[in-house]
Amino acid sequence: MTETFTGNFTQQEPIPEDAIEAAVAVLRHGRLHRYNVAPDELSETALLEQEFAAQMGAKYCLAVSSGGYALATALRAVGVKPGDPVLTNAFTLAPVPGAIASVSAKPVFVGVTEALTIDLDDLEAKLDQAKVLMLSHMRGHLCDMDRLMQMCDAAGVIVIEDCAHTMGAAWRGQLSGRQGAIGCYSCQTYKHVNSGEGGLLITDDPELGAKATMLSGSYMLYERHLAAPGPEVFEQIKYTTPNVSGRMDNLRAAILRPQLRDLDRQVQRWNERYDEIEHGLRGTPGLKIVERPDAETYVGSSIQFLLLDWTPERIAEVIQRCAARGVELKWFGGAEPSGFTSRYDSWRYADSTPMPVSDRILAGIMDMRVPLTFSLEDCGQIARIIRAEVSAVYQS
Ligand SMILES: *Cc1c(COP(=O)(O)O)cnc(C)c1O
């Protein structure tokens, strides 16, 4: 008898009750704009920034309207100008090259390894082409951050981290987003905390913190922030930094604060699910597990495996057979961008040179979300279905 999975791959957990109550309180008083505060009141947004900075061990934090906005703000804050090259991952999602394009800069794509991390040899060869690296920890895979930071520091390349998939992850115990000059996070529904839309940016650099705050649309109200640099830093930059409105509002901040307090527990739950699926897939003929380095503390909110050197037809057959049994696999190798997936060469607004070594890997990347609404039994069943269908196609 063949089993079929009946769960939903895009169903997140409900917003926790304490977050709902906090949101309702904001709705009741009506002061949704972050700078609209009663006398002596601290806004939810300012408190969120203060708490996230403390949680991450960062000096400064800014809450904004989306992860993509945080990335673009980081690029502006470090001084990227129209036409400037910006190094970034070939394996990432559209908001990353999109953030670079939004400041009229030019992505320079760096290849991907079988560990699904940025190819550090390729990066080394391209380091002299740009002053900034927008490093995307795509699907939560961390590269050797020690080697990357050494290389970039030596070359004077500023690192901006895209931590959309690594909120709560760490490299040798140091939280992801704390290695580069700026760390950016997304609070969009499919990430690790859910306010529908939203983003967070952290840094230890006072000038970058002040510029990002002005850029986000603080007017001259920056003293209402609790995790921003002092007014003397703003004095230096306030006349020369444009307002590119993209603030977070108090409703979203209220929803996020309780979720961030619960992040560690959620990470543990994700990893129980991830490990269950990985365990079930290990040893499947023709399927390569993406091994995780010992130095990496990961957040298994999605899982990837490789069908390396499979023909597109056979990969399509696996996807279709799994879908028929209720398991939704995404494929990064598809010629046409579909859903959330796309390849570096599908962003035609950005020039790219073919990267055959990366193309071979991209062509074999299979990707699956692991929502927390799945039980461990669900995860075991999903792994059995993938294992059976991959084996069947492999052996046919
Ligand atoms: C979601 C995501 C972003 C951007 O986040 P938004 O909040 O959707 O703008 C950036 N990078 C990656 C890899 C993402 O998955």
Side-chain angles (χ1 to χ4, degrees), residues 285-288 306-316 318 331 360 363-364 389-395:
L287 178 153
K288 190 172 185 304
L306 289 163
L307 300 180
L308 268 186
D309 302 323
W310 285 48
T311 63
E313 294 74 26
R314 288 164 83 80
I315 288 182
V318 168
W331 181 33
R360 168 176 173 258
E389 297 305 333
V390 168
S391 305
V393 177
Y394 187 69
Q395 281 149 8

Side-chain angles (χ1 to χ4, degrees), residues 9-298:
F9 279 82
T10 53
Q11 182 59 55
Q12 306 301 324
E13 292 190 297
I15 300 301
E17 284 304 321
D18 48 353
I20 293 174
E21 273 169 36
V24 170
V26 171
L27 292 173
R28 290 229 155 87
H29 67 53
R31 293 183 295 278
L32 272 70
H33 192 281
R34 67 166 298 161
Y35 299 120
N36 181 200
V37 284
D40 297 327
E41 184 186 26
L42 301 171
S43 79
E44 288 282 344
T45 310
L47 289 165
L48 166 71
E49 291 165 341
Q50 186 179 49
E51 289 163 4
F52 192 63
Q55 189 169 355
M56 301 304 292
K59 285 202 181 119
Y60 311 116
C61 173
L62 176 73
V64 294
S65 56
S66 75
Y69 181 88
L71 293 173
T73 302
L75 290 169
R76 285 197 175 91
V78 302
V80 171
K81 297 278 177 298
D84 284 356
V86 175
L87 293 156
T88 196
N89 306 58
F91 175 47
T92 186
L93 287 173
V96 178
I100 297 171
S102 80
V103 297
S104 301
K106 290 187 303 192
V108 176
F109 295 108
V110 182
V112 62
T113 68
E114 288 182 26
L116 304 193
T117 53
I118 194 164
D119 181 341
L120 294 178
D121 295 328
D122 192 29
L123 177 64
E124 194 159 42
K126 291 173 177 164
L127 267 184
D128 60 355
Q129 293 183 32
K131 288 268 164 281
V132 176
L133 164 66
M134 178 158 277
L135 174 65
S136 184
H137 303 301
M138 178 60 176
R139 285 299 184 249
H141 297 278
L142 293 173
C143 71
D144 180 343
M145 287 301 293
D146 302 313
R147 184 175 162 210
L148 179 130
M149 287 311 302
Q150 250 162 28
M151 271 167 42
C152 290
D153 287 346
V157 168
I158 300 168
V159 179
I160 297 169
E161 295 183 74
D162 167 22
C163 304
H165 304 161
T166 55
M167 182 189 276
W171 180 260
R172 279 197 306 100
Q174 188 182 32
L175 286 167
S176 181
R178 298 293 293 129
Q179 285 88 1
I182 299 182
C184 299
Y185 306 80
S186 169
C187 311
Q188 188 237 79
T189 296
Y190 298 114
K191 312 298 164 86
H192 297 174
V193 287
N194 174 11
S195 58
E197 302 286 356
L200 291 159
L201 179 157
I202 57 169
T203 184
D204 283 350
D205 183 303
E207 190 182 321
L208 295 180
K211 282 185 175 167
T213 304
M214 289 297 296
L215 283 161
S216 76
S218 64
Y219 302 93
M220 297 298 157
L221 301 169
Y222 43 79
E223 287 189 59
R224 291 189 196 166
H225 285 245
L226 298 170
E232 69 288 354
V233 187
F234 285 90
E235 287 300 325
Q236 306 295 318
I237 56 100
K238 68 181 188 184
Y239 301 108
T240 50
T241 309
N243 175 324
V244 187
S245 285
R247 294 169 301 272
M248 180 173 280
D249 59 86
N250 288 333
L251 184 56
R252 289 193 172 95
I255 294 171
L256 289 171
R257 291 176 63 209
Q259 293 184 58
L260 282 168
R261 286 198 283 274
D262 206 27
L263 182 64
D264 289 348
R265 192 180 69 91
Q266 299 293 72
V267 169
Q268 206 185 331
R269 294 176 63 221
W270 259 307
N271 289 353
E272 285 164 12
R273 285 155 181 77
Y274 180 98
D275 294 345
E276 184 77 20
I277 298 172
E278 191 201 74
H279 177 74
L281 293 181
R282 207 168 266 285
T284 305
L287 178 153
K288 190 172 185 304
I289 298 282
V290 181
E291 302 295 347
R292 321 250 8 183
D294 288 339
E296 181 193 40
T297 306
Y298 56 90

